[in-house]
Amino acid sequence: MPVSTLSDEHYETLLRDVSLVVGGAVIQLINLNKKVSGNNILAQLVTEIEHEKNQQRSATLRSAIELMGLAPKG
């Protein structure tokens, strides 16, 4: 769903949920003694979505993957 069609409350909830899954991916990388980088965060999110059964969490992971894919490289 395009961001422009989301209510402010829905947008805030999505932003919070995406922040939590990205933060969780960072923690996973640290626990695995892997370098924390945009590419590794993205790879961790992809790994998580491949095993996710919950539709709502899958949607949040897809949003996080989209966000990470849009992040500037460097």
Side-chain angles (χ1 to χ4, degrees):
M1 175 183 306
V3 171
S4 60
T5 62
L6 296 176
S7 69
D8 287 343
E9 184 178 326
H10 189 163
Y11 177 76
E12 291 297 323
T13 300
L14 179 62
L15 184 59
R16 184 196 72 228
D17 292 347
V18 166
S19 296
L20 288 172
V21 298
V22 171
V26 169
I27 290 170
Q28 277 296 109
L29 291 172
I30 292 169
N31 286 338
L32 296 170
N33 294 317
K34 291 186 176 182
K35 179 181 176 186
V36 176
S37 68
N39 286 337
N40 284 348
I41 295 169
L42 185 57
Q44 181 64 33
L45 292 170
V46 169
T47 298
E48 289 182 34
I49 200 170
E50 289 173 346
H51 299 98
E52 187 57 53
K53 304 271 189 272
N54 180 295
Q55 291 298 320
Q56 184 174 349
R57 181 158 163 81
S58 288
T60 301
L61 286 164
R62 282 193 301 278
S63 294
I65 289 168
E66 181 179 343
L67 174 73
M68 292 305 300
L70 296 174
K73 305 296 184 233

